[in-house]
Amino acid sequence: MPKVVLATGNPGKVSEMQRELQEFGLEVVPQSDFDFPEAIEDGLSFVENAIKKARHACQHTGLPAIADDSGLEVDALDGAPGIHSARYADGLGDAANNEKLLTELADKSNRDARFQCVIVYMKHAQDPTPIICQGTWEGHIAKQAVGENGFGYDPLFIVPELNCHSAELPSEQKKKFSHRAQALAQLKLSLDPQSS
Ligand code: ITT
């Protein structure tokens, strides 16, 4: 079974990805099993940052790596918080990020938004052809937080097709619909086209 490092320090992402990848047949080692500094995410796009994180993990572990760079794009905020989603409120965490988002949207009528996720697989640090997969999840930003599941902006993200907040979804359902679920499905197809 090929061994890969899951290059993320976000426990929410680990819980949404590790088991799926293991069930797919990969031996997944979380980044927390190693002791190395976080990658510097100074790219200007989700793709660039995902590649930086995967390459960094390959360099420090000698293993193939899977990284996820993701975030929330809000139309009325010209795409913010976007690639800065994790640190929107200056690193104060998810609750502060959600509060800031509500404040920024207080006088806006358009609350359309989407989650973006780019997942990258790199065989080694010099891999010139990383596998790049992308998923998008369309929705709206609510006026107040609801739900305890998930992480990040899930309490504020309304999923129109399910008529609920993402943080109200059981984890198995989020794993069917989300931006990350879509990118993961593509990754599985790219690694093993027979798997669909
Ligand atoms: P790593 O870089 O270590 O993977 P991170 O949390 O810093 O962890 P990102 O830079 O990709 O990762 O930022 C992603 C942020 O976007 C995340 O912290 C959340 O605030 C938000 N986000 C991404 N996917 C989400 C999801 O499924 N539900 C809610 N919020 C999400």
Side-chain angles (χ1 to χ4, degrees):
M1 189 156 57
K3 197 167 172 179
V4 297
V5 57
L6 185 52
T8 177
N10 182 321
K13 292 184 185 177
V14 173
S15 76
E16 291 181 17
M17 297 171 79
Q18 185 166 7
R19 209 181 68 211
E20 270 63 29
L21 291 167
Q22 270 161 347
E23 285 171 0
F24 177 70
L26 298 174
E27 183 183 344
V28 180
V29 192
Q31 181 172 293
S32 56
D33 281 12
F34 301 88
D35 186 21
F36 61 86
E38 299 233 321
I40 296 168
E41 295 181 44
D42 57 2
L44 298 179
S45 64
F46 295 113
V47 175
E48 288 168 277
N49 284 335
I51 289 175
K52 281 173 191 269
K53 287 189 267 192
R55 186 181 291 132
H56 183 77
C58 290
Q59 274 163 348
H60 283 273
T61 64
L63 292 172
I66 293 173
D68 163 312
D69 201 64
S70 46
L72 182 70
E73 276 178 5
V74 181
D75 289 347
L77 303 178
D78 299 325
I83 59 168
H84 306 293
S85 292
R87 300 184 55 81
Y88 189 39
D90 302 321
L92 293 175
D94 288 346
N97 287 341
N98 282 320
E99 265 174 49
K100 178 170 179 184
L101 183 58
L102 285 178
T103 305
E104 298 289 324
L105 283 177
D107 60 348
K108 312 281 189 204
S109 52
N110 179 1
R111 301 182 79 93
D112 293 347
R114 67 207 52 80
F115 277 124
Q116 299 283 9
C117 176
V118 172
I119 291 179
V120 162
Y121 178 97
M122 291 186 84
K123 293 187 284 297
H124 52 78
Q126 282 78 38
D127 187 350
T129 55
I131 298 172
I132 298 171
C133 306
Q134 180 167 5
T136 302
W137 202 19
E138 294 286 341
H140 311 293
I141 303 304
K143 294 206 165 148
Q144 60 182 40
V146 175
E148 303 293 328
N149 301 334
F151 67 99
Y153 299 91
D154 282 330
L156 287 181
F157 189 75
I158 297 176
V159 185
E161 67 265 34
L162 299 172
N163 197 24
C164 67
H165 294 226
S166 172
E168 295 180 285
L169 291 176
S171 63
E172 288 312 312
Q173 234 184 337
K174 186 178 174 197
K175 283 181 192 170
K176 270 191 209 151
F177 290 94
S178 77
H179 50 314
R180 184 161 298 104
Q182 296 170 41
L184 263 183
Q186 280 176 31
L187 178 64
K188 290 177 193 172
L189 267 184
S190 302
L191 290 173
D192 177 9
Q194 313 298 319
S195 71
S196 64

